[in-house]
Every structure is written in C-alpha cells, then in structure tokens.
Amino acid sequence: MRQFVLIGHDVPTDPDFSLDDLAGGAGRLDALCRSITAAFVTSHGIREDVRVHLIAQDEYTITFDGSELRRLNPDERSTAALVRTALEHREDAIGALPAEPSPGVELYRRGFEATLEAIADDGPIVQLHEDGDAIADVRPEALADAVFVLSDHRDFTDEEAGLLEEYADRRLRLGPQLLHADQAITIAHHYLDTAGYERF
Amino acid sequence: MRQFVLIGHDVPTDPDFSLDDLAGGAGRLDALCRSITAAFVTSHGIREDVRVHLIAQDEYTITFDGSELRRLNPDERSTAALVRTALEHREDAIGALPAEPSPGVELYRRGFEATLEAIADDGPIVQLHEDGDAIADVRPEALADAVFVLSDHRDFTDEEAGLLEEYADRRLRLGPQLLHADQAITIAHHYLDTAGYERF
C-alpha cells in the first residue's frame, strides 16, 4: 500500500466555507483537493491500494481509503465537498474513535504527530523535500509501502520538521523542478508504477 | 519549447457557462483546466518555454503562451475564467487573425487540423495514447521540442485519429497505468526534466 500524508496548514477545521472560493476563503483547499485526487484517480478508476491522510491545522486528520471510497471525482469541487462533509461530522470523533462521514472517509481528532505514530509501522516514512536525495537513486521496491509526507503551499514548520527528523526514514527529491504537491504525488506514483523499467 | 495540444470534445464554444459547474454544464472543462495548469505551473512559477493549444470542439483554438501569461493560478476556477474570457472575444478572431483577450492568450478561429498544420514544423508531433510505444525507449533529447497531442475524457474520434496518422511522428505511452491528461502532462514534463538521469 502507498500512503500520502498531506499537511494542510490553512485548511478549514469547520465546514463553514464556500465551494465557490476554494483557492481563497478555504485556505487553499483547492491545492489539497488536487493532491487527494492525484493520489487516487487514474483514467478509468481509483487506486484501491492507497490511503491519504489530510492533516487539518494539526487538529483533525481526515483519512481516505481507496478500497472503500465511492464516487471520488477528479474535480476540485466535489473533493472539497467530501472534506466539508467530513468536517460537518467532527463532533462524532471522540477520543481515538473516528467519525465516518461517508464510505472510505474517516475523520480523527488527532494531528500530525499522532497520525505519524499511527502509521509509522506501515512502511518507510519518506519526506518529499527539495533538499532530499534523488529518488532515482532508490530502488522502487524499497518504496512499495512508503508513506510519503508532503506539505502544502507552505514549507514544513520547525515543529513538523523536528517530528520528521524523528520519524522519517528518508528525505527524497523527485527531480530538478520544484513542483506542487499534486504533481509530486503523480510522479511518485509513476516512479513506483514503472519499477523495473529501464530508460534512456 | 514543449507544446501540448488538448482536444476538448465537449468544451463550450460560447462563454455562457458557470464557473460553479465546470465538471457538469461546462463539458468537463475542469479536466482541461487541470491539463492547462499542469503544462505551465511549477511550485514557484510558470514554465515560460511552453505553449498549450486548447481545441474547443474543432471550431476554436485557444493558445496559451508561457512566456507572456500573467496570473495563471493553479486552481481550476481561475483557469476556466481565462477560457471564458477568451470565448467572450471570439468575434474578434477574423480569418487567420486571433483575438487577444488577455496577456499570453490568443483565440483562433480554427480547429484541430489547421492548428496541427500551423505547428507541424515546430518539433516532432507525439500522440500520447495507450497503444503507443514506451516513452522510456525514446531519448528525451529527441523530444525536447515535442508537440504532445492529448485527448480529453473521450478517445480520439476517427477523424482525429486519421489526422494523427498523417501528422504524428510518434505514438507514445508513458507507463503501465492509464492516466488523466493532466497527469500525463506532469509525467511528460518530468521525463524531459530528468533527461540524462539514471534510475534503478
């Protein structure tokens, strides 16, 4: 299984935002929605063996499970509606028990560190970062069950960077261009999809 | 220069559509907007050496030039607004002269074949298609000035396929997964960005 942890520094923690202003009033939720769909959608379906954990301001974690998701469309707006529905159920998340707002979506009352702790044993934790080593030097097989951690339009905070010093097994860079998180996810998938391919 | 030709089979040819329903009433313009931004945006800027040609129902071609574009944001909605503004100026496109609705955007009164003809000498024309040869077998240097042709959520029509038989120099596939056009563009960029890299 491949997993992606998306840190949303400005993403709303209550559902009182408009789907018509995702890039503005909703804390760049547009970008995070593109990252969620990049992790799951292919031309004709959904990658079932993927999980995405969206950290909302270190307060909630919304987990999407590809094996149970229904009706994830590739557009920003419908994905943002899934996030909004999850936040509408935030009072149902009590202690370690998540709210289950829709199929394949769970909302936990926990932030970045608790989420890292919960998935730390699932596979190598990989921080995607411009100062990392080249992913091309890593055998794709070593990343088959990787947990990729990405920040949104802001850089990792000092606290997040400190946690990643502790938890991350690798810090990797995908290529020479600095890309948006959704583009990075598309390329990480492609790198793993093409394991074993030679190239010029 | 890298160029991308996006065939929009259902994209509106008049500006009377709502930015709140891009995935529905606007003929999946959401997907085409993601393709436009995938072609241009990086984390901190715009790829200046890129052009995108959006074919609207074989009637108009909207050309975006990275060296002159201003304010291309990565979200679907603001890109769709650029397309809508271009269509509002469609009466200004007369004969071979384009309308120039905003910096870096031109609207031509021409369809797929006339656009192919206009750019056929710019570089190799490459049809991205699931039945193509593996791009990994092609030296990236041979694609440095490629014109990549992609269809939207529909397959190429028989007429488009016939034109591509005539014009395209190669038919290539990017990897084992069938992806959306915007994801394919991200990977094509990455393949060319990492020319010369070895990988496991």
Side-chain angles (χ1 to χ4, degrees):
Chain A
M1 170 175 300
R2 302 174 194 165
Q3 297 187 72
F4 299 89
V5 177
L6 310 174
I7 303 183
H9 292 103
D10 302 325
V11 75
T13 53
D14 76 60
D16 183 26
F17 61 85
S18 165
L19 297 179
D20 298 336
D21 189 25
L22 297 176
R28 298 303 314 278
L29 186 55
D30 65 309
L32 290 157
C33 289
R34 287 195 298 280
S35 295
I36 294 166
T37 52
F40 287 113
V41 304
T42 61
S43 183
H44 298 304
I46 281 182
R47 293 179 189 260
E48 296 194 357
D49 211 24
V50 167
R51 275 198 203 130
V52 169
H53 310 275
L54 170 61
I55 317 285
Q57 291 192 41
D58 208 25
E59 189 173 344
Y60 299 108
T61 296
I62 306 174
T63 294
F64 301 80
D65 184 332
S67 68
E68 296 184 26
L69 272 179
R70 298 286 171 273
R71 295 184 305 275
L72 180 75
N73 294 316
D75 65 300
E76 295 164 9
R77 190 184 175 92
S78 65
T79 306
L82 278 183
V83 170
R84 193 168 68 172
T85 300
L87 290 170
E88 282 167 357
H89 289 74
R90 66 199 189 284
E91 300 301 333
D92 301 341
I94 298 169
L97 284 178
E100 298 178 3
S102 53
V105 183
E106 294 180 325
L107 179 140
Y108 291 86
R109 193 176 287 276
R110 65 189 181 199
F112 182 43
E113 181 168 17
T115 294
L116 278 180
E117 239 168 48
I119 60 181
D121 294 334
D122 292 353
I125 293 186
V126 177
Q127 181 184 14
L128 290 182
H129 194 278
E130 61 188 273
D131 295 330
D133 304 318
I135 195 172
D137 291 337
V138 181
R139 286 190 184 280
E141 298 76 16
L143 302 175
D145 291 307
V147 177
F148 294 96
V149 182
L150 301 89
S151 188
D152 58 4
H153 58 292
R154 297 189 192 280
D155 202 356
F156 296 100
T157 64
D158 289 345
E159 193 185 338
E160 289 155 1
L163 285 169
L164 285 164
E165 292 259 332
E166 185 182 337
Y167 282 93
D169 298 285
R170 293 175 181 274
R171 190 149 79 149
L172 295 179
R173 179 178 178 137
L174 297 166
Q177 287 279 357
L178 287 186
L179 300 174
H180 287 290
D182 61 309
Q183 298 170 319
I185 289 169
T186 296
I187 290 168
H189 268 319
H190 180 71
Y191 188 72
L192 301 183
D193 290 345
T194 54
Y197 281 44
E198 303 231 355
R199 63 165 276 180
F200 272 114
Chain B
M1 171 175 299
R2 303 174 194 166
Q3 297 187 72
F4 299 90
V5 177
L6 311 174
I7 303 182
H9 292 103
D10 302 325
V11 75
T13 54
D14 76 59
D16 184 27
F17 61 84
S18 165
L19 298 178
D20 298 336
D21 189 25
L22 297 176
R28 297 304 315 278
L29 186 55
D30 65 308
L32 289 156
C33 289
R34 287 195 297 280
S35 295
I36 294 166
T37 52
F40 287 113
V41 304
T42 61
S43 183
H44 298 303
I46 282 183
R47 293 180 189 261
E48 296 194 358
D49 210 24
V50 167
R51 274 196 205 133
V52 169
H53 311 274
L54 171 62
I55 317 285
Q57 293 193 40
D58 208 24
E59 191 174 342
Y60 299 108
T61 296
I62 306 174
T63 294
F64 302 79
D65 184 333
S67 68
E68 296 185 26
L69 273 179
R70 298 285 171 277
R71 295 185 301 276
L72 180 75
N73 294 315
D75 66 300
E76 295 164 10
R77 190 183 175 93
S78 64
T79 307
L82 278 183
V83 171
R84 193 168 69 172
T85 299
L87 290 169
E88 281 166 358
H89 289 75
R90 66 199 189 285
E91 300 302 332
D92 302 341
I94 298 170
L97 285 178
E100 298 178 4
S102 52
V105 183
E106 294 180 325
L107 180 140
Y108 291 86
R109 193 177 287 277
R110 67 187 180 202
F112 182 43
E113 182 169 15
T115 293
L116 277 181
E117 240 168 48
I119 59 180
D121 294 334
D122 292 353
I125 294 187
V126 177
Q127 181 184 15
L128 290 183
H129 194 278
E130 61 187 272
D131 295 330
D133 304 319
I135 196 171
D137 291 337
V138 182
R139 285 189 186 280
E141 297 77 16
L143 302 175
D145 290 308
V147 177
F148 294 96
V149 182
L150 300 91
S151 187
D152 58 3
H153 58 292
R154 297 189 193 279
D155 203 356
F156 296 101
T157 65
D158 289 346
E159 193 186 338
E160 289 155 2
L163 286 169
L164 284 165
E165 293 260 331
E166 186 182 335
Y167 282 93
D169 298 283
R170 295 173 180 275
R171 190 149 79 148
L172 296 179
R173 178 178 179 135
L174 297 167
Q177 287 278 355
L178 288 185
L179 299 175
H180 288 288
D182 61 308
Q183 298 170 319
I185 290 169
T186 296
I187 291 168
H189 269 319
H190 180 71
Y191 188 71
L192 300 182
D193 290 345
T194 54
Y197 282 44
E198 303 231 356
R199 62 165 278 183
F200 272 113

